[in-house]
Amino acid sequence: MGLMQRCSYVTMALDLPLSNGAAMNQFKRVASWLKQSRGAVAFTGAGISTESGIPDFRSPGGIWSRSQPVYFDDFLASEAARLEYWHQKAAAHQDFFQARPSTGHQILAAWQAAGRLRALITQNIDGLHQLAGSTDVVELHGTARYIACLSCGQRSDADPLVRQFLASQEVPGCQACGGLLKHATISFGQALEPSVLSRAAELAEQTDLLLVMGSSLVVYPAASLPETAMLHGARLVIVNRDPTPYDERADVVIHDSIGSTLTEIDRCLATLP
């Protein structure tokens, strides 16, 4: 599909109210591409997890609207910064650990199990894709379900250590080596793991269909993945509540709930010959 065709189609998707028939055509189109794909990849952001009840940190009322995030260099240098970091993580802990996979998580896991998806790339740190049953998940920003030692690399389940912190109000240290402990997530100012970023870029280069769901596509380097995919000839589908910088270049844009959208696409898949 040429650039002019893409832009013409997306203008319809963005600027005109869609009738039920037009929306169904979108769902059928994506379902057809998904069935034909030789290695579709899903790329998810916070929007898929807000449907599980996890607040978007950047939204009004999110944790970053109430407090400034702790930068990695400050965490390393300052005991006070480490205490603030643990307070912030403890405040978000229950949201993560009480949440259950949304309809969107479950459908993506089912598609992967059926061979429809090669892998998932996520900006989220909640581990809900794995809870839903997805297996090949590239976590760009790490996971809040584990605590990691910055010295020896030992990992532990987060829940017991967060509970220990809440009871004592003291930042725990590594039992193995005494090193600094933080969640196994990427903090502001901390570099992404090169191997993780390399794997995500490889998937974007090799896919013929990239399904972006619940991402604003403004946080780099993650936001460069759609560009990489398109440069290598992939179709781009965006499902997001709000517009993104890639909307005018995508093949299909749907501004609606991820769960309801994927449900309709899944129904269309089931009817394809």
Side-chain angles (χ1 to χ4, degrees), residues 176-258:
C177 72
L180 299 178
L181 292 181
K182 71 181 289 290
H183 284 67
T185 57
I186 302 298
S187 297
F188 279 92
Q190 183 179 6
L192 271 64
E193 288 287 340
S195 60
V196 173
L197 190 56
S198 175
R199 167 73 169 145
E202 177 185 11
L203 288 169
E205 290 171 2
Q206 295 177 354
T207 189
D208 56 3
L209 175 62
L210 184 66
L211 305 170
V212 176
M213 286 153 287
S215 176
S216 61
L217 296 177
V218 295
V219 177
Y220 284 82
S224 66
L225 294 174
E227 182 75 34
T228 299
M230 287 189 295
L231 284 174
H232 287 80
R235 289 186 171 107
L236 176 63
V237 174
I238 297 175
V239 183
N240 196 53
R241 179 188 62 190
D242 301 315
T244 81
Y246 283 89
D247 283 6
E248 293 185 357
R249 300 171 60 197
D251 295 279
V252 167
V253 177
I254 300 172
H255 291 156
D256 203 347
S257 145
I258 294 169

Side-chain angles (χ1 to χ4, degrees), residues 28-40 116 208-209 235 269 272:
K28 288 180 179 177
R29 183 179 298 224
V30 177
S32 176
W33 291 341
L34 189 57
K35 182 174 181 179
Q36 297 167 9
S37 173
R38 300 183 309 278
R116 304 287 189 195
D208 56 3
L209 175 62
R235 289 186 171 107
L269 261 176
L272 292 175

Side-chain angles (χ1 to χ4, degrees), residues 9 20 22-32 252 254 256 260-262 264-266 268-269:
Y9 181 78
N20 289 339
M24 187 56 65
N25 285 338
Q26 286 185 319
F27 302 144
K28 288 180 179 177
R29 183 179 298 224
V30 177
S32 176
V252 167
I254 300 172
D256 203 347
S260 62
T261 298
L262 295 192
E264 292 302 326
I265 293 170
D266 195 51
C268 292
L269 261 176

Side-chain angles (χ1 to χ4, degrees), residues 26-83:
Q26 286 185 319
F27 302 144
K28 288 180 179 177
R29 183 179 298 224
V30 177
S32 176
W33 291 341
L34 189 57
K35 182 174 181 179
Q36 297 167 9
S37 173
R38 300 183 309 278
V41 172
F43 173 40
T44 64
I48 196 168
S49 292
T50 57
E51 295 183 14
S52 290
I54 295 178
D56 182 348
F57 292 165
R58 292 176 177 81
S59 295
I63 192 168
W64 292 342
S65 69
R66 304 191 304 270
S67 56
Q68 290 295 316
V70 176
Y71 279 73
F72 186 58
D73 286 348
D74 294 331
F75 180 93
L76 296 177
S78 166
E79 184 175 347
R82 290 192 288 275
L83 182 62

